[in-house]
Amino acid sequence: MTAERLLLFSAARQQFALNLQEVCEVMEPQQCYPFAGAPPHYLGLINFHGNLTALVDLAGYLRLPGRPVPGKILVIDTRLAHLALRVDAVGSILDATSITSFGSHEDPLVEALLETPQGSVRLLRLETLLNGLEQELQQSAPNNAKPGGT
Amino acid sequence: MDMSQYKALFLSESREYLRTIAEQVVALEQSPGERSAVDALFRGAHSLKGMAASMEYGDVVVVAHSMEDLMARVRDGATPFDAGVADLLLEGVDLIDVLLQDVEQERPSTLPTGDFAQRLATYAPAAPKAAPAEQAEAQGAAADAVPSPAPTGPAPSATAAEAAPPAPEAEKAKEPAGEAGGTVRVKTELLDHLINLTGELVTNKQRLLTIAGELASPALNDAISETAKLLRSLHDEVMKVRLMPFEAISDRFQRSVRSVAKKSGKEIHFELTGREIGLDRGMLEQLVDPLNHILRNAVDHGIEESGERERAGKPARGTVRLAVTRDRDRIQITVRDDGRGMEPATMIAAAIAKGILTPEEGELLSPRQALMLSCIPGFSTAKEVTDISGRGVGMDAVNAAIQKLGGTLGIESEPGVGTTITLRLPLTIAIIHALVVQVGQVKAAIPVNAVQRTVELSRRQIETMGKRQMFQLDDEAIPLLSLNRVLGLPLGRFPDGILPLFVTEARGRRVGIVVDRLLGQHELFVKQLGRPLSKLAGVAGGATLGDGEIVAILDLAGLL
Amino acid sequence: MALKVMIVDDSLFMRKMLRDILVEDGYEIADEASDGVEAVAKYKECLPDLVTLDIVMPNKTGIEALQEIMAYDAGARVVMCSAIGQEALTAAATEAGAKAFILKPFNPELVTRVLREVAQG
C-alpha cells in the first residue's frame, strides 16, 4: 500500500522516503546529549517539546558510509516512537500520483522501490525500522563485566 | 445515532464490569451461598450485554448473553455455583477482554464465540465425585454418605467468615466513578500532559535558580523560593489525580492464586487488604507481573501439601495474605504465606552448588543476604521448576522491576512458619531524587534508593583478592566494579589517586561502583524513553537537568 | 417549558446515551440515579415530569423502586427500560403502574416517540 504523500530525504547518497504522516517535524541539527550502552549510531538524546527522543544516524544504522554534512533531523511522530533520524538532506514532498513505477524490494525494511521524477526512492517501513532498532538494543545488552577492573 | 462518541465510555465501563464479574466469581467460590454476589454477577453480565448491543458489538453480546443466562440459572437454583461455572465465567471474562481490545484497536475480531456460548448453554454440573485427595480425610466420610450435587468447593462455616471481600462492599466499589458527586472523567493523556507540564516547570525553576545565583538578587531569590513551594503543591495535586485504587488490579491476583492452587492441588485461603489504597496508575500496571510472580511462588513453592501441613500441626489449608498499606509518601505491599519458609543455609548451599558463590563468599553472607540470593538470575530453591511458576520470570526479574519503579524488595522468612516479601514503593514515580555521576564523556543518574552511600576511596585502600579488587567497609569486604566498564566506556584514570564510588546492592550483596566523578544529588522529573530506547537494558528513563542537559537514569538491577 | 426527565440506570454508558437522546429532543434532565434506592430518594427531591427506569439494578430493582415511587406519587409517569430477556417482568411493572416500556438497545426515534406519548397522557 502506498501512502498518498511521501517525504523524500537522502542519506549516504541514497534516496529514501517515509510516509509523511509518520514524520512530525524536520529540524536543523541541535544540541544532543550522548548516553552510554547503545550502539554507536545512537548519537544521543534530544529534547523535542519535552519528549526525550533518541537521535539515530540513519546511514550508520544501515551500515552505509556517512557523509560529513550538518544534515537534518526527522522527528518521527511522537505517538509512534520517541525517535529522530539524522539524515543528510530533506527533499520535496511527493504526491503518490507522480510515482511512475512501483517495485518490491528484498530488504524487509524497504516497503517499495519507487520510480519517481526525482529518481528511484526506497520507501521505508517505519514499523520494521523500529522493530529492528529494538531488537538490536536487546541483543547489545551491556556486557556483564566481572568485578575488579577499575 | 453516531455511536463512536460512546466508544471510550463503553470500553472503560465494560472493563469495570469485567473486573466486578471476576471478583464476584472468586468471592462466590469462597462463600458459595452469597446471594448478593450471585445477583451482582447476573447484573454485570446483563449490563455488559446491553451496552454491547447498543454499540452493535455482536460478539461481546453473544458471550455476555450466555454468561447472563448461566447466572440466571444459578440465581433461580437450577444450576449450582460450582467450580465448573466459575471456570466458564472466568473464561468468558477473558474472552470479552480480548474482544474489547479488538474493539479498542479497531481491528476485526477473529475469536470464535459460538463454541463458548454453546458450552455455557449446555453446562451441567459434574456428578459428585470423591473429594480431592488432600480433602478426603476431612470431608470424605460425609460426602460418601450423602451423595448431594453440592459443589466440592472450599470447606464451609470456618472459612465463610474470613472469606474475601464481603459482597456489598465489592458492590459499592463497582459503582463507576461517574459524573455524580462533582467528579468528572478525564482522559489519561490529558493527565500525562498535565504532569509533563508540571515537570517542565520544575526543570525551569532549576534554571531560574541558576540565574538567580549569578545575579545575587534577594528579591528574585524570594520569588523563586515561593514559586518552588507552589510548584511542589501543584505537583502533589496533579499526582493525586493519577492515583487509582489498588483494586483496579487486585482481581487478577485472586484469579492467579486460584488457578495456581488448582493446578498444584493445594488448598489456599487468599486474603487481600488495602484494596482502597491509591497508587500511581503507571506504577499499578507495572506491579501486576511482579506481584503475580510473588503470589505464584508463595502458592507453588511456599505452601506445603495439606498432609505435610497437618503433620507439622498447621491447618490443612494454607493462607496467603496480600496487604497494601500507605505510610505518608511510601506504599508498602506485603505478601505473607504460612508455608514452609526458606532456610538461609540451604540457599547458600544451593548457590554454591550452582557456582554462583564460592564457599568463602557463602560464609560472609548474613541470613538476610542469603535470602536475597533468590533474586539472582537463574536461582531457584525449588527442586524442579514447575510450569506453574514459569521458567522465564524469576525473583531476579521481580527485583529488577521493583527497583525500576524506585522501590526496594525485602525478604523475611522463618523456616516452618512462612515467608514475607515486602515491597516498598514511592507514591509516585515521576519525580525522584538521583545521584548524578560522570562516566567518560557522559553523565548518568542513579536513583538514590539504589545508593547506600558514596565513598571517596584512596588507591591504597584497594585490596586484591584473586582476580577481584575489594575494599573494606564496615568490616565487610566489598568488591569494586567500574561503571565505565559496565557501560563499555573508556576507563577513568584518577590522577590524584582518589576513586569516587557509590555503594549499592547487587545480587544480594554490596558492591562499590566506581565512577569518574560524583556530581551531586538532583531532583529529577523522570520521563519514559518510548520506542526504541525503552528496550535498552539498564536504562529506566531519562530526565533533564536544570541547564537543559539530558541524562539517562540507570537501572542498576538491569545493568549489573 | 421543557419537560424534566429523571434517568435511572446503573450503567453510566446507558445514562449518557439516554441523556443525549433526550436533550437533543428538547427535554431537561432533572437528575440521574444509578440504583433503586437513589432513584426513589431523588424522585422525591426533584419531582420530575417523566422517569426512565432501568429494571436490573443493584440495591433495589427497578420494579421495587417503581412501587415506591408510585406509592409516593400516584401520578408519576414512569417508563421502564429493559434489555431483551426481561419480558417476563413487564406484567409486574404494568401492574405496579409503569406507563410504557422501552427496549434496549435504545432506538432514539422510538425513545422520543414513547416519551412524547407518555408525556401527553
Side-chain angles (χ1 to χ4, degrees):
Chain A
M1 204 187 82
T2 314
E4 284 174 24
R5 299 211 298 165
L6 306 174
L7 179 67
L8 297 188
F9 57 94
S10 65
R13 298 175 199 277
Q14 295 191 14
Q15 287 227 73
F16 295 94
L18 273 169
N19 187 333
L20 187 60
Q21 289 170 352
E22 294 167 343
V23 179
C24 69
E25 202 164 312
V26 177
M27 297 195 306
E28 295 301 319
Q30 57 157 282
Q31 174 96 48
C32 132
Y33 300 93
F35 62 96
H41 40 267
Y42 281 83
L43 303 174
L45 289 164
I46 58 172
N47 188 342
F48 179 71
H49 301 312
N51 284 320
L52 303 189
T53 304
L55 179 60
V56 170
D57 178 47
L58 183 64
Y61 173 67
L62 298 174
R63 309 287 185 268
L64 297 171
R67 302 176 72 194
V69 293
K72 296 272 184 194
I73 293 176
L74 297 185
V75 184
I76 301 301
D77 188 333
T78 53
R79 286 167 298 189
L80 304 171
H82 287 184
L83 176 67
L85 300 175
R86 202 210 75 96
V87 302
D88 290 344
V90 172
S92 52
I93 291 171
L94 180 72
D95 200 276
T97 50
S98 60
I99 294 169
T100 51
S101 136
F102 184 96
S104 61
H105 196 272
E106 59 200 28
D107 184 350
L109 187 59
V110 178
E111 178 159 355
L113 198 58
L114 311 173
E115 293 307 326
T116 72
Q118 286 86 356
S120 85
V121 173
R122 287 151 208 262
L123 174 60
L124 291 180
R125 224 180 237 131
L126 182 63
E127 188 56 32
T128 310
L129 175 66
L130 285 169
N131 284 334
L133 285 165
E134 287 180 338
Q135 275 171 19
E136 182 188 50
L137 288 175
Q138 279 166 323
Q139 285 157 8
S140 75
N143 51 333
N144 239 335
K146 291 274 175 267
T150 48
Chain B
M1 193 166 187
D2 171 24
M3 294 305 290
S4 63
Q5 55 177 322
Y6 301 109
K7 187 171 147 185
L9 180 57
F10 166 78
L11 285 170
S12 72
E13 198 173 4
S14 297
R15 285 176 175 145
E16 283 175 38
Y17 279 117
L18 286 184
R19 211 153 54 222
T20 309
I21 292 173
E23 261 175 29
Q24 300 292 357
V25 168
V26 179
L28 260 179
E29 282 206 316
Q30 305 252 348
S31 50
E34 191 66 50
R35 176 76 206 194
S36 61
V38 174
D39 286 344
L41 260 178
F42 170 78
R43 280 200 305 274
H46 178 80
S47 297
L48 255 175
K49 178 193 73 174
M51 286 160 46
S54 303
M55 297 298 294
E56 297 179 4
Y57 297 140
D59 287 342
V60 181
V61 175
V62 168
V63 178
H65 186 89
S66 60
M67 290 164 72
E68 180 192 358
D69 277 352
L70 179 60
M71 279 317 295
R73 275 154 56 201
V74 171
R75 187 191 56 187
D76 301 340
T79 303
F81 188 92
D82 59 7
V85 171
D87 285 346
L88 282 171
L89 291 175
L90 292 179
E91 191 185 335
V93 167
D94 287 340
L95 202 53
I96 293 180
D97 197 44
V98 174
L99 292 171
L100 292 182
Q101 283 168 33
D102 289 338
V103 165
E104 188 166 31
Q105 306 291 327
E106 293 182 350
R107 57 185 177 219
S109 161
T110 50
L111 275 184
T113 53
D115 162 64
F116 176 76
Q118 182 67 24
R119 278 188 289 138
L120 262 69
T122 57
Y123 178 75
K129 53 185 176 196
E134 65 269 29
Q135 289 184 339
E137 277 175 38
Q139 298 188 330
D144 287 343
V146 189
S148 81
T152 49
S157 60
T159 54
E162 49 174 10
E169 193 184 299
E171 181 63 34
K172 210 195 312 164
K174 183 226 83 176
E175 187 55 35
E179 283 160 6
T183 60
V184 286
R185 285 178 180 237
V186 178
K187 280 197 170 171
T188 325
E189 301 96 84
L190 183 59
L191 280 182
D192 289 346
H193 193 55
L194 273 176
I195 287 178
N196 226 349
L197 284 173
T198 311
E200 293 294 297
L201 281 172
V202 170
T203 307
N204 251 293
K205 177 206 75 184
Q206 210 71 36
R207 267 173 69 187
L208 284 175
L209 270 177
T210 315
I211 297 167
E214 288 160 9
L215 293 179
S217 151
L220 182 56
N221 278 336
D222 281 358
I224 293 173
S225 89
E226 191 57 33
T227 306
K229 269 188 226 154
L230 292 171
L231 275 177
R232 177 45 67 180
S233 40
L234 174 64
H235 170 251
D236 290 350
E237 293 302 314
V238 173
M239 284 305 175
K240 271 186 215 153
V241 182
R242 275 179 65 91
L243 297 183
M244 268 177 93
F246 184 71
E247 71 179 352
I249 56 170
S250 61
D251 66 310
R252 311 188 204 191
F253 303 136
Q254 292 183 316
R255 292 176 60 187
S256 73
V257 166
R258 175 187 182 276
S259 78
V260 183
K262 207 171 169 186
K263 270 199 199 174
S264 57
K266 289 176 185 169
E267 271 200 86
I268 303 289
H269 173 65
F270 180 60
E271 274 182 23
L272 172 62
T273 55
R275 46 175 47 224
E276 72 287 350
I277 305 280
L279 279 82
D280 185 276
R281 63 179 67 227
M283 185 142 65
L284 272 179
E285 283 165 22
Q286 294 177 55
L287 279 173
V288 173
D289 288 344
L291 278 175
N292 249 331
H293 192 80
I294 295 173
L295 287 166
R296 283 161 175 259
N297 269 347
V299 176
D300 201 20
H301 303 310
I303 303 284
E304 315 89 328
E305 304 289 330
S306 55
E308 187 184 336
R309 291 180 61 87
E310 280 172 336
R311 281 193 295 280
K314 291 180 175 183
R317 195 176 205 208
T319 297
V320 176
R321 290 191 176 86
L322 172 60
V324 185
T325 53
R326 180 176 160 186
D327 174 24
R328 270 176 301 173
D329 57 347
R330 303 288 291 174
I331 296 285
Q332 180 165 315
I333 303 178
T334 55
V335 176
R336 188 182 303 256
D337 69 61
D338 66 348
R340 56 173 67 95
M342 296 193 276
E343 183 79 69
T346 319
M347 307 279 294
I348 293 174
I352 293 171
K354 282 173 193 275
I356 294 169
L357 287 180
T358 64
E360 300 77 55
E361 286 172 326
E363 278 186 18
L364 292 171
L365 292 190
S366 68
R368 193 189 72 86
Q369 289 173 326
L371 294 179
M372 289 302 288
L373 285 171
S374 58
C375 294
I376 291 180
F379 189 90
S380 168
T381 49
K383 290 184 197 75
E384 58 200 58
V385 181
T386 66
D387 73 317
I388 296 171
S389 277
R391 287 155 189 277
V393 198
M395 281 299 285
D396 55 324
V398 171
N399 192 35
I402 297 305
Q403 286 211 10
K404 206 163 179 174
L405 293 173
T408 59
L409 179 150
I411 306 176
E412 284 164 76
S413 190
E414 198 175 328
V417 178
T419 300
T420 302
I421 299 205
T422 304
L423 311 181
R424 289 187 182 81
L425 297 156
L427 193 53
T428 59
I429 45 177
I431 292 199
I432 62 161
H433 287 269
L435 174 69
V436 178
V437 300
Q438 179 88 43
V439 274
Q441 293 301 305
V442 307
K443 287 180 185 171
I446 294 106
V448 293
N449 67 295
V451 177
Q452 293 184 347
R453 59 185 293 182
T454 56
V455 177
E456 301 216 307
L457 192 68
S458 155
R459 264 193 209 284
R460 283 176 287 116
Q461 294 170 272
I462 299 174
E463 302 160 11
T464 304
M465 290 171 72
K467 281 184 183 168
R468 298 187 175 186
Q469 294 190 297
M470 323 272 280
F471 77 106
Q472 295 289 329
L473 185 69
D474 313 328
D475 295 328
E476 189 187 338
I478 295 182
L480 290 170
L481 194 62
S482 158
L483 187 56
N484 304 52
R485 174 168 296 203
V486 172
L487 294 172
L489 295 166
L491 298 184
R493 308 175 82 90
F494 315 110
D496 54 0
I498 301 290
L499 280 66
L501 62 91
F502 63 89
V503 178
T504 187
E505 196 171 79
R507 304 191 161 202
R509 59 176 308 177
R510 297 206 281 175
V511 187
I513 309 284
V514 179
V515 298
D516 291 353
R517 274 171 73 201
L518 300 167
L519 298 172
Q521 190 175 321
H522 287 248
E523 191 181 60
L524 298 181
F525 175 63
V526 182
K527 290 183 170 172
Q528 299 309 309
L529 291 174
R531 298 185 73 181
L533 280 185
S534 55
K535 291 282 192 274
L536 180 60
V539 174
T544 311
L545 299 180
D547 59 0
E549 191 168 344
I550 302 172
V551 290
I553 298 168
L554 298 185
D555 161 33
L556 288 177
L559 205 56
L560 299 178
Chain C
M1 217 180 82
L3 289 175
K4 293 191 297 177
V5 188
M6 179 169 93
I7 299 172
V8 186
D9 199 306
D10 60 334
S11 158
L12 176 62
F13 171 89
M14 288 296 178
R15 293 203 300 275
K16 176 92 171 73
M17 232 184 117
L18 258 185
R19 168 189 276 269
D20 291 349
I21 293 171
L22 296 179
V23 168
E24 174 75 33
D25 204 41
Y27 292 92
E28 183 188 322
I29 307 303
D31 211 337
E32 294 182 8
S34 61
D35 66 36
V37 172
E38 199 186 345
V40 176
K42 286 196 169 165
Y43 185 88
K44 293 176 183 177
E45 265 172 42
C46 67
L47 290 173
D49 300 306
L50 287 164
V51 181
T52 70
L53 185 55
D54 184 26
I55 291 186
V56 179
M57 284 190 303
N59 294 333
K60 223 171 233 167
T61 67
I63 303 284
E64 288 165 330
L66 172 66
Q67 287 164 343
E68 287 190 32
I69 288 174
M70 296 311 294
Y72 178 79
D73 175 6
R77 285 182 283 191
V78 181
V79 176
M80 304 304 286
C81 304
S82 82
I84 302 152
Q86 299 298 308
E87 293 87 348
L89 294 168
T90 55
T94 314
E95 195 181 314
K99 298 286 182 288
F101 273 87
I102 314 174
L103 263 193
K104 294 179 191 174
F106 297 124
N107 170 338
E109 283 156 37
L110 197 68
V111 170
T112 51
R113 201 179 72 218
V114 169
L115 258 73
R116 217 170 293 142
E117 284 169 10
V118 171
Q120 289 160 359

